[in-house]
Amino acid sequence: MGMLERWRGFSLFQRVLLAILAAMIVGFGIAIPTVAGRKGIEYRDALLRFTQEGEVRRYTGRVDWKRTEFTVRPGGTVEYRWGDEFYGPYQVVEDPSAAPERWMAGLEIHQGGQTLFRGGLSGGSWPVLYDEEGGLFEFMTVSYGTSGGKVYDSTGRELTQRDLHAPGLNTVAALALQEPELAHRGNFSLYLLATLLAGFNMFLICFPGLMFRRSARWYIRDPAAAEPSDFYIIMERAEWVVFTGIAAALYWLALTAID
């Protein structure tokens, strides 16, 4: 039996599922390489896209549905915008004498004539600030109150959305002192896993009788003469839908994952 004849023999339910699976394989196969070519930095579970204009670096994206941008200028100046809120400019000044350990980068961070931080920066994938005494620096400590879901800091002051979205000084320091390693959305390993599942599900949909007889051969003497019950058919179709849903979820994860 040719593929055209087999396709004509499929029910509408089978055709719809096969079309959905084929569309996901092709669609995400095009989308994932496309988004993978857009480089940026990971910030608060978002990807801020990197662009450069001369010596000015910009990292732009969306955090909590609002446009977000870091601007890094020569000389250690960092500005940050979240929606209509502006933070900074922060001035990061290198000072080796401020580092509590030799392997750290010593620095000070100023804003509007005020010194916000003096100490050292531990580089790597997760930059961490340490004060001059070697203690871990905490830019903001918050606790969740019990009245209306309001948020308070360690002194009991209620925090606004502006306070909650202020950039961490460790991020400010890391952007000013070094060009961070760029990441991208799109995970090819997850795409391959989803495609394997989608292909297996398409095989199940195309050859339901074959799968039934192969499983029945372990329980009955003449599988070729056996017929699936209504309950078996219902569960089989439910299995196709579940596998399609799992494949769709994996494809979405593959597309949105930051790698």
Side-chain angles (χ1 to χ4, degrees), residues 104-197:
M104 295 182 186
L107 59 100
E108 289 185 346
I109 302 177
H110 306 279
Q111 181 185 14
Q114 179 184 3
T115 300
L116 302 179
F117 173 79
R118 176 178 169 81
L121 173 69
S122 172
S125 302
W126 300 94
V128 178
L129 290 176
Y130 294 86
D131 60 30
E132 286 186 286
E133 305 301 322
L136 185 65
F137 176 76
E138 296 183 1
F139 176 60
M140 183 182 294
T141 302
V142 300
S143 58
Y144 290 86
T146 57
S147 58
K150 296 180 180 179
V151 184
Y152 303 88
D153 66 10
S154 56
T155 65
R157 181 176 68 91
E158 182 180 345
L159 300 177
T160 64
Q161 285 294 311
R162 175 178 171 80
D163 296 326
L164 292 172
H165 285 88
L169 292 186
N170 57 334
T171 302
V172 171
L175 289 175
L177 297 182
Q178 60 193 25
E179 291 191 26
E181 183 178 349
L182 298 180
H184 62 81
R185 289 198 183 275
N187 187 301
F188 291 99
S189 297
L190 273 177
Y191 171 78
L192 291 176
L193 178 61
T195 301
L196 285 174
L197 179 59

Side-chain angles (χ1 to χ4, degrees), residues 3 14 22 46 49 104 110 140 142 164 174 206-207 213 237:
M3 288 303 299
Q14 288 173 293
R49 235 182 123 182
M104 295 182 186
H110 306 279
M140 183 182 294
V142 300
L164 292 172
C206 290
F207 303 98
R213 287 175 175 79
R237 293 187 176 187

Side-chain angles (χ1 to χ4, degrees), residues 34-42 47-51 58-60 180-186 188 259:
T34 301
V35 300
R38 301 170 183 171
K39 304 290 185 178
I41 60 170
E42 184 176 3
L47 184 72
L48 304 184
R49 235 182 123 182
F50 168 70
T51 57
R58 299 185 190 278
Y59 303 89
T60 309
E181 183 178 349
L182 298 180
H184 62 81
R185 289 198 183 275
F188 291 99
D259 213 354

Side-chain angles (χ1 to χ4, degrees), residues 75-90:
T77 301
V78 179
E79 300 167 353
Y80 178 70
R81 288 185 181 275
W82 177 73
D84 296 328
E85 301 289 348
F86 177 81
Y87 302 83
Y90 302 96

